[in-house]
Amino acid sequence: MKAWLGSLLFLATMVIASKAVCTTEKLEIFPNLMSDDCMDADGNKHFLNIPWKKNCSWCSCDETSITCCTNATRPLSYDKDNCDEQFHPENCTYSVVDRKNPGKTCRVDSWTV
């Protein structure tokens, strides 16, 4: 039941973030893993089909792969000639600041996941 609810939560997150950037890696099989486990690149074990948060992404694994999708909203439309985007990993957000005066924020017209 928990696996089913976790899968629904993961799918709901992906529907909301339908433009999310996702990466998929082939799952390596290790002899010390149970059949319902997977191991991420950092060596952490996770249950199959149960999503977990890693940095600013939601990840999930199945029998063949690990998929991670970002949940950080990124600035899309702003003055790219005079402004720079800055990523803040502590809270998974971006800000857009003036290149000459980084204390001044720039206007952002649209955002994307």
Side-chain angles (χ1 to χ4, degrees), residues 1-48:
M1 183 67 166
K2 286 183 181 179
W4 187 77
L5 290 174
S7 296
L8 282 178
L9 174 65
F10 181 72
L11 289 173
T13 303
M14 292 303 102
V15 168
I16 292 167
S18 61
K19 294 182 181 177
V21 176
C22 299
T23 59
T24 301
E25 298 176 19
K26 185 178 176 186
L27 185 63
E28 290 188 51
I29 305 300
F30 294 97
N32 63 334
L33 288 178
M34 305 273 294
S35 62
D36 60 347
D37 284 347
C38 67
M39 187 180 298
D40 65 21
D42 298 327
N44 299 314
K45 290 182 183 181
H46 305 279
F47 289 111
L48 295 180

Side-chain angles (χ1 to χ4, degrees), residues 92-105:
C92 302
T93 62
Y94 284 87
S95 61
V96 180
V97 297
D98 189 273
R99 280 194 186 143
K100 294 179 182 172
N101 182 4
K104 180 182 174 191
T105 59

